[in-house]
Amino acid sequence: MGTVDCVVVGAGPAGLAASAALAEEGVDHVVLERDRVGESWRAHRWDSFRLNTPGSMNQLLGPLPDDEYTGRDDVVRHLDTVAGRCPVRAGVDVTGLAPHDGELVLTTSDGPVRTRSVVVATGSENVPRLPPAAQALPRRTTQLTGASYRSPGALPAGAVLVVGSGQTGAQVVEDLVSDGRRVLLSASPVGRLPTPYRGRPMIEWLREAGFFDQRPEDLPDPAMTRMPNPLLPPGGDHDLDLRRLAVDGVELVGRVTGAADGRLHVDRSVGDCVAFAEAFAERARSMADRAIERLGLDSPPDAPDEPFDYPVRDVDELDLRAEGVTTVVWCTGMGGSHRWLPDELLDGGVPRHTSGASPLAGLWFMGLRWMVRRCSSNLVGMPGDAAATAAAVRAHLG
């Protein structure tokens, strides 16, 4: 492949955004993708998946209706269109990187590639994390992750336990409930975004309030960057409230803490999880109210949420066979795979960087959570981050 000024590794949304920005800067580059364009979107999204941000926030995919919440197959189609304008080479696996004589040398399945700069856009949330309890369940139990779940019809008959009530877990639960499945949900502490709010989807108010442009230094506690994203369902017409899911028949249990003999041990933390979600919801309302006041909008007041009773399975273990649970869907978080990078560039497997810039000269990252802003790992934030990265690459190349 020879030498090129810049190599982008990964042809998902972040890599394609980087490629478009590098082209704007006039940087000669190539995009290397080990599988197909947008492979995670093809292989790791369930059938009914839709984006939880409207078209007005997803212009990376091309012109979209402002209120469209795009489905999985259409996302893939749009990514293919974007990739058609980029120098993508699919089927090339990058397995190593090393500095050499002022350049960077990539080890690839197509031979070594010398380059003056690299943008790593391989994703930070495409490798499922599984707790040790998953290894202790009997073989008769079907186990999936949020990345391998496809549809209720693909599961064996019986009840389903979803572990984790973040964005993926909550949407999988709604998918299962719509099919009439009996569902148990192991809750986790995740913020809730009440929507609609004061006449509009909450996401629109939060965008006006600068929520998605928050930087890590804007947060009262840096640890908040490690929390799951707050719950925001597609459509903006309802919110994902653990209490209402319970009222609708979802059986809430606490967090899974272990497993033995076909039983899952759970704690009694559902109340704490609900309290965490409601505290976040109140902060979101306050942000929206301030945005409405700043903009001088005449927006109708919103009726405050009144506390209400909701059923909880107050147990400390679940006997899966006795419960009729035949499938467990683990929605317990995702990580990235950066093991092909030198150890000194990683901190516990996570890339070391400052606003996307690696300590190694000529190396940048794209698409990492909270890389620059809250939205850095979302479609809405990638174009802006890509423009800044491309400008830095151009400056580095001189």
Side-chain angles (χ1 to χ4, degrees), residues 117-329:
S117 57
V118 172
V119 178
V120 177
T122 51
S124 61
E125 296 180 87
N126 51 17
V127 180
R129 295 193 183 107
L130 287 174
Q135 302 297 321
L137 294 186
R139 291 185 178 181
R140 65 175 179 269
T141 304
T142 297
Q143 296 191 66
L144 301 173
T145 66
S148 59
Y149 169 80
R150 290 296 172 269
S151 68
L155 305 183
V160 182
L161 169 66
V162 176
V163 182
S165 59
Q167 190 71 42
T168 295
Q171 289 193 41
V172 167
V173 165
E174 288 198 319
D175 196 37
L176 293 165
V177 168
S178 69
D179 192 63
R181 287 293 187 118
R182 178 182 167 223
V183 180
L184 293 81
L185 174 59
S186 171
S188 46
V190 183
R192 178 174 74 89
L193 293 177
T195 189
Y197 181 69
R198 297 187 66 174
R200 294 172 66 182
M202 174 59 85
I203 194 169
E204 295 182 11
W205 294 129
L206 293 183
R207 190 179 188 186
E208 297 281 5
F211 178 76
F212 297 100
D213 291 321
Q214 287 180 324
R215 296 173 179 265
E217 56 267 29
D218 297 332
L219 302 176
D221 181 358
M224 294 175 67
T225 61
R226 298 192 293 272
M227 295 299 298
N229 291 323
L231 295 180
L232 190 66
D237 55 352
H238 71 291
D239 59 22
L240 290 170
D241 186 334
L242 290 177
R243 302 168 301 173
R244 298 194 186 281
L245 288 175
V247 169
D248 290 340
V250 175
E251 300 175 39
L252 296 183
V253 298
R255 287 179 290 182
V256 172
T257 58
D261 302 323
R263 293 175 168 83
L264 282 173
H265 307 304
V266 296
D267 62 19
R268 299 173 186 264
S269 62
V270 173
D272 293 337
C273 294
V274 169
F276 182 93
E278 295 315 296
F280 195 100
E282 188 56 37
R283 292 196 297 273
R285 291 189 189 95
S286 296
M287 287 188 70
D289 291 341
R290 290 195 296 271
I292 292 168
E293 182 178 359
R294 173 174 52 82
L295 295 169
L297 299 178
D298 184 16
S299 183
D302 200 70
D305 281 351
E306 297 293 338
F308 60 91
D309 293 330
Y310 56 96
V312 174
R313 292 285 303 276
D314 191 24
V315 296
D316 52 21
E317 75 171 21
L318 289 173
D319 185 327
L320 298 184
R321 172 170 279 183
E323 293 285 350
V325 171
T326 57
T327 303
V328 177
V329 184

Side-chain angles (χ1 to χ4, degrees), residues 7-11 15 30-33 94 97 106 118-123 340:
V7 174
V8 179
V9 184
V30 65
V31 182
L32 302 183
E33 167 58 51
V94 178
L97 177 148
L106 293 171
V118 172
V119 178
V120 177
T122 51
W340 56 278

